[in-house]
């Protein structure tokens, strides 16, 4: 989509060689290129501003050496800063001291929550756990059936109430946790309906679910193709639910996934996993360095 | 009275609004450039006039093609076929239910074709919408060839004198060439059976999507002739500005917008309303 950032910075600094110290004008030009690259990668504007502020400061100190090109040094600063912001290390799942560990999934419509429930279940099962999937989406047509079909594919049990037993999602979640205790399921994965962060009623419902079952993980499931709005809804979800982590899905496409940086920056909450396809094994731990390279198009 | 006029700060603020609405940097700069010229040429002084001039430029970009092609096309020889495509989770199936609902309320008869034979319970999801809207459904079993489902739906429509067929397809990322080839085949089979191209091939885009929507539009267009865009999820806080860049670059008209999960939450695209919403604070 854009020529690699390093190429552009190379051009900026080309005429600089041997001029001594990098001037403020050179840095400004370099910073403009970084800004453009981040915006093209869907990093939210306020986060971009903050990020390039830091880069600018560090880049001003760079000396022009014959051995190391200034553009290489700037790229290095940008890359390291981004990895640091993305969380440096891999963040593991929080686990209950007394099982079951309860994982609540939430997010906007169509981001991949139901698929993720089955992927996470598959991942945990491979590690020898006994996860239970729970159908708390009572709204979307065939949402329960979707989780049941995925549960069957993954050979995982699915807790769902029959249609005639109408209960609210927080109550379903509580009943499922009770069921898990009785059936020795050490993980409970709650699939919830997609919702907008500005939908007060449905956000309250999640708040109540959180209060009812006190999950060890409250994970925001985010579509990696998301744009500038990421900061808005992530902040809202975090404010109302105190998120413990998030997951980026659909990273198998050609999106840069700059929202990872935005969300991490506004919530301070770690990215735990990524989704890389529709199949149940298309699920990986999150690596900050790989994500930084992707966002920067390296 | 006091109040600011048109200054650099205003240009910066407007630029930030456009970028934060997901309009890409290129289109944003083009718009701000056009605004500067308008301010100069028309001697614009007030912020209000400047914003109005900007909106005018945006509407001009969004009004692709002639207005008579804005609505959904209807075939002179029924059934009219709408093929609905897009990446995963954008709202294809829900949009189909909404279009069916709209047509039925105008007294038309509709058949839905369950062309997503891949995703878990996708057929059940469409079946539930068919039941709720009272439309007919043509379905095969999971894993069946989607082209065959759509072929059967067209034939069923003819046999039952039904006016419209709306075909669902599985969500697919535009970068998956094998899945895109499958779409090309679906289109070809439909064209052969209809003896004309599908009346609408609607690309569904999610308003929360950022720059990637351009790549989606480009690649879908490369494989099949897209006739228009449906922009969903405009009921959220996302502004959906990327369609401006798409209209600008690719000249694709936006036909419908989705504004919720209910059957009634579908509107015809109105450029002025869209632009007003995009710039409102
Ligand atoms: N390519 C790709 N598709 C994915 C990924 N994760 C999920 N999907 C697809 O995205 C679509 C939406 O996934 P769901 O799991 O139904 O999303 P959801 O968040 O549960 O949706 P709602 O319940 O309607 O809010 C489906 O077509 C999935 O197959 C991924 O990592 N990559
Ligand atoms: N808020 C809002 N949600 C919508 C809108 N349109 C669809 N949705 C929701 O988005 C989610 C995905 O919708 P689907 O119709 O299943 O999307 P799809 O493109 O068919 O998904 P796949 O077939 O899995 O690729 C569902 O939860 C819908 O209720 C809309 O306009 N606004
Ligand atoms: K989405
Ligand atoms: Mg779901
Ligand atoms: Mg669908």
């Amino acid at each position: 989509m854009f020529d690699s950032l390093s190429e552009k910075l190379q051009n900026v600094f080309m005429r600089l060689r041997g001029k001594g110290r990098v001037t403020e004008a050179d840095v400004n030009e370099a910073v403009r290129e970084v800004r453009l690259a981040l915006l093209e990668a869907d990093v939210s504007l306020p986060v971009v501003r903050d990020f390039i502020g830091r880069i600018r400061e560090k880049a001003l100190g760079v000396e022009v050496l014959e051995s190391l090109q200034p553009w290489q040094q700037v790229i290095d600063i940008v890359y390291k800063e981004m990895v640091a912001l993305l969380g440096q290390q891999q963040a593991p799942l929080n686990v209950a001291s007394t099982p079951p560990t309860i994982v609540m999934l939430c997010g906007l419509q169509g981001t991949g929550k139901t698929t993720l429930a089955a992927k996470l279940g598959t991942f945990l099962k491979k590690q020898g756990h006994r996860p239970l999937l729970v159908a708390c989406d009572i709204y979307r047509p065939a949402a329960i059936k979707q989780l049941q079909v995925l549960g069957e594919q993954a050979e995982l049990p699915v807790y769902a109430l029959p249609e005639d037993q109408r209960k609210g999602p927080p109550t379903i979640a509580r009943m499922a946790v009770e069921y898990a205790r009785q059936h020795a399921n050490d993980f409970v994965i709650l699939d919830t309906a997609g919702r907008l962060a500005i939908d007060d009623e449905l956000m309250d419902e999640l708040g109540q679910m959180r209060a009812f079952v006190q999950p060890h993980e409250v994970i925001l499931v985010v579509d990696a193709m998301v744009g500038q709005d990421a900061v808005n809804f992530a902040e809202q979800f975090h404010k109302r639910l105190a998120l413990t982590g998030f997951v980026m899905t659909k990273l198998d496409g050609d999106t840069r996934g700059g929202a990872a940086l935005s969300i991490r920056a506004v919530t301070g909450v770690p990215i735990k996993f990524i989704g890389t396809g529709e199949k149940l094994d298309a699920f990986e731990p999150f690596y900050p360095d790989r994500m930084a390279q992707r966002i920067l198009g390296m | 009275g006091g109040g600011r006029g048109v200054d650099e700060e205003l240009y910066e603020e407007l630029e930030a609004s456009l970028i934060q609405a997901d309009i890409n940097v290129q289109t944003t700069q083009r718009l701000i450039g056009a605004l500067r010229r308008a301010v100069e040429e028309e001697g614009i002084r007030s912020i209000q006039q400047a914003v109005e001039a900007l909106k005018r430029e945006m509407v001009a970009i969004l009004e692709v093609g002639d207005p008579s092609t804005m609505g959904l096309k209807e075939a002179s020889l029924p059934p009219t076929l709408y093929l609905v495509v897009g990446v995963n989770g954008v709202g294809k199936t829900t949009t189909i239910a909404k279009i069916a609902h709209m047509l039925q309320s105008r007294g038309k008869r509709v058949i839905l074709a369950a062309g997503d034979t891949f995703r878990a319970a996708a057929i059940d999801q469409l079946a539930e919408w068919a039941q709720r809207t009272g439309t007919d459904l043509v379905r095969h079993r999971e894993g069946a060839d989607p082209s065959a489902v759509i072929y059967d739906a067209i034939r069923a429509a003819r046999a039952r004198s039904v006016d419209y067929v709306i075909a669902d397809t599985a969500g697919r990322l535009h970068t998956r060439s094998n899945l895109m080839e499958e779409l090309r085949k679906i289109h070809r089979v439909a064209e052969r059976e209809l003896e004309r191209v599908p009346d609408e091939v609607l690309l569904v885009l999610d308003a929360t999507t950022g720059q990637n929507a351009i790549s989606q539009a480009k690649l879908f267009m490369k494989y099949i002739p897209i006739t228009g865009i449906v922009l969903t999820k405009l009921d959220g806080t996302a502004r959906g500005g990327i369609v401006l860049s798409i209209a600008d670059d690719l000249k694709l008209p936006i036909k419908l917008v989705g504004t919720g999960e209910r059957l009634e939450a579908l509107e015809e695209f109105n450029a002025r309303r869209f632009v007003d919403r995009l710039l409102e604070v």
Side-chain angles (χ1 to χ4, degrees), chain B residues 114 116-118 123 139-146 149:
Chain B
D116 181 357
T117 58
F118 177 75
I123 300 172
R139 60 188 287 178
H140 289 188
R141 60 187 161 64
E142 215 180 294
D145 177 7
V149 180

Side-chain angles (χ1 to χ4, degrees), chain B residues 20 23 43 124 204 228 247 251 253 272:
Chain B
Q20 285 181 287
I23 299 177
D124 301 273
V204 181
K251 308 294 170 223
R272 177 67 205 201

Side-chain angles (χ1 to χ4, degrees), chain A residues 109-110 223 250, chain B residues 89 206 208 233:
Chain A
Q109 288 94 345
D223 184 327
K250 309 183 198 174
Chain B
D206 180 333
T208 52
K233 310 188 192 174

